[in-house]
Amino acid sequence: MKINDNFDALKIYGGDSYRLNDRLSIRQPTLNEIKLYGENRYFSMIHTLCAVGADLKWQLHDIGIDYTKISDFELFYSILSVKYTKDDTRILFGDSLDFSQMKMTFHKELQEDVMMQNFADGSYIQIDKYLYASIVGVLRQMHRLKRNDELPGNEMTRQILIDDARNEYEENKDKASGSCLLPLISTMVNSEGFKRDDTTVFQMKIRAFMDSVARISKIKNAELLLQSGYSGFGVNLAKIDKDVLNYMGELD
């Protein structure tokens, strides 16, 4: 997952609030804040806000929407974001935003729909498709998420993908929701080279922690390959991508 050039990767890694405009910033929670908020509730919100049509194939199909035809922004303003109040999103946006209070307005100058939240003092927050893309882009960077770019080649494949997604949901809907952070935290605090313990790890911002997970995995993988290659009995290092061996390189 390459860093998008439109975002200041170092600021995001450093945990600063990421200012999108004069009224709107995205703040980064710590692991402790996520724990107190509710891990499953938190990640459900993140994945919902970042979702695209390909993530909701059968759900959209069941309400008569072709998931390959709806734009990311239309899905966001018509279905995904409206369920979240200020109390839900305060952990990310502070008190500056309330999706549940936003209304769709046709912007004559832009000639397109925008989301608007008006305030008593006459000020407002406006989210167009470009600001939406920035919001989702920063959220994906913070949590190391990738956009689901899956597209079917034909109608038969589209229907198969819808059915597969529905079947997967049915198979897993009754399973208890486990913690996705717990195994990562447990692994990291017991990994050589990680400088936090089971208490101080919760002070980390989410981006820096997720980066550490990926970085230590990359380091260990590179070290194993190098040890195997230099042993004379393992892999042929000449055939290994240099980016895989360069543990100081960019993360996928």
Side-chain angles (χ1 to χ4, degrees), residues 115-222:
M115 301 171 69
M116 294 283 292
Q117 180 181 355
N118 294 300
F119 298 97
D121 62 2
S123 62
Y124 62 89
I125 288 179
Q126 172 182 302
I127 300 178
D128 59 18
K129 61 184 178 182
Y130 301 106
L131 184 55
Y132 151 76
S134 294
I135 292 170
V136 174
V138 172
L139 291 178
R140 286 179 181 147
Q141 293 292 334
M142 282 169 50
H143 301 87
R144 290 189 52 78
L145 300 176
K146 296 179 70 173
R147 184 186 186 278
N148 186 346
D149 293 324
E150 180 184 71
L151 284 175
N154 52 53
E155 177 56 28
M156 181 180 294
T157 302
R158 186 181 77 90
Q159 191 59 55
I160 290 172
L161 292 173
I162 290 171
D163 293 340
D164 286 348
R166 189 194 309 277
N167 291 337
E168 182 179 0
Y169 168 78
E170 291 295 334
E171 290 174 3
N172 294 287
K173 67 178 182 179
D174 296 325
K175 293 181 180 179
S177 297
S179 170
C180 64
L181 283 178
L182 178 57
L184 297 179
I185 292 171
S186 176
T187 298
M188 295 305 291
V189 299
N190 289 285
S191 293
E192 182 181 0
F194 189 65
K195 305 301 183 183
R196 306 287 181 125
D197 59 30
D198 57 355
T199 299
T200 58
V201 67
F202 284 95
Q203 299 168 7
M204 293 187 72
K205 298 290 182 71
I206 183 63
R207 168 62 196 191
F209 176 74
M210 298 304 292
D211 184 272
S212 293
V213 172
R215 180 64 65 184
I216 285 187
S217 177
K218 186 177 180 70
I219 291 171
K220 289 183 179 297
N221 184 56

Side-chain angles (χ1 to χ4, degrees), residues 226-238:
L226 289 169
Q227 290 171 6
S228 176
Y230 288 132
S231 71
F233 301 100
V235 298
N236 184 348
L237 293 178

Side-chain angles (χ1 to χ4, degrees), residues 8-244:
D8 190 324
L10 190 59
K11 280 187 177 180
I12 296 176
Y13 177 84
D16 299 342
S17 291
Y18 199 95
R19 181 165 293 279
L20 297 165
N21 58 33
D22 291 342
R23 290 297 302 264
L24 188 58
S25 297
I26 299 179
R27 65 178 300 276
Q28 274 200 59
T30 63
L31 295 185
N32 190 58
E33 288 176 304
I34 294 172
K35 179 185 69 173
L36 295 175
Y37 180 92
E39 177 191 356
N40 290 332
R41 177 189 174 205
Y42 177 81
F43 281 105
S44 174
M45 177 173 64
I46 294 299
H47 286 287
T48 297
L49 293 177
C50 293
V52 297
D55 298 308
L56 300 166
K57 300 178 183 71
W58 68 267
Q59 294 94 330
L60 291 172
H61 179 77
D62 284 359
I63 59 175
I65 298 175
D66 184 338
Y67 79 89
T68 67
K69 301 291 178 59
I70 189 169
S71 72
D72 294 356
F73 183 46
E74 182 182 0
L75 179 65
F76 181 81
Y77 72 64
S78 62
I79 298 175
L80 300 180
S81 65
V82 293
K83 61 186 285 189
Y84 292 112
T85 67
K86 185 187 297 186
D87 287 340
D88 296 318
T89 62
R90 184 175 286 115
I91 191 172
L92 294 171
F93 299 103
D95 290 323
S96 62
L97 185 64
D98 188 340
F99 285 121
S100 67
Q101 297 300 311
M102 302 197 88
K103 306 296 182 185
M104 291 309 304
T105 302
F106 185 75
H107 195 293
K108 293 182 179 179
E109 184 177 342
L110 297 175
Q111 286 294 294
E112 62 186 39
D113 290 329
V114 299
M115 301 171 69
M116 294 283 292
Q117 180 181 355
N118 294 300
F119 298 97
D121 62 2
S123 62
Y124 62 89
I125 288 179
Q126 172 182 302
I127 300 178
D128 59 18
K129 61 184 178 182
Y130 301 106
L131 184 55
Y132 151 76
S134 294
I135 292 170
V136 174
V138 172
L139 291 178
R140 286 179 181 147
Q141 293 292 334
M142 282 169 50
H143 301 87
R144 290 189 52 78
L145 300 176
K146 296 179 70 173
R147 184 186 186 278
N148 186 346
D149 293 324
E150 180 184 71
L151 284 175
N154 52 53
E155 177 56 28
M156 181 180 294
T157 302
R158 186 181 77 90
Q159 191 59 55
I160 290 172
L161 292 173
I162 290 171
D163 293 340
D164 286 348
R166 189 194 309 277
N167 291 337
E168 182 179 0
Y169 168 78
E170 291 295 334
E171 290 174 3
N172 294 287
K173 67 178 182 179
D174 296 325
K175 293 181 180 179
S177 297
S179 170
C180 64
L181 283 178
L182 178 57
L184 297 179
I185 292 171
S186 176
T187 298
M188 295 305 291
V189 299
N190 289 285
S191 293
E192 182 181 0
F194 189 65
K195 305 301 183 183
R196 306 287 181 125
D197 59 30
D198 57 355
T199 299
T200 58
V201 67
F202 284 95
Q203 299 168 7
M204 293 187 72
K205 298 290 182 71
I206 183 63
R207 168 62 196 191
F209 176 74
M210 298 304 292
D211 184 272
S212 293
V213 172
R215 180 64 65 184
I216 285 187
S217 177
K218 186 177 180 70
I219 291 171
K220 289 183 179 297
N221 184 56
E223 287 177 342
L224 286 172
L225 289 172
L226 289 169
Q227 290 171 6
S228 176
Y230 288 132
S231 71
F233 301 100
V235 298
N236 184 348
L237 293 178
K239 296 182 178 181
I240 303 296
D241 190 329
K242 291 183 179 179
D243 288 339
V244 174

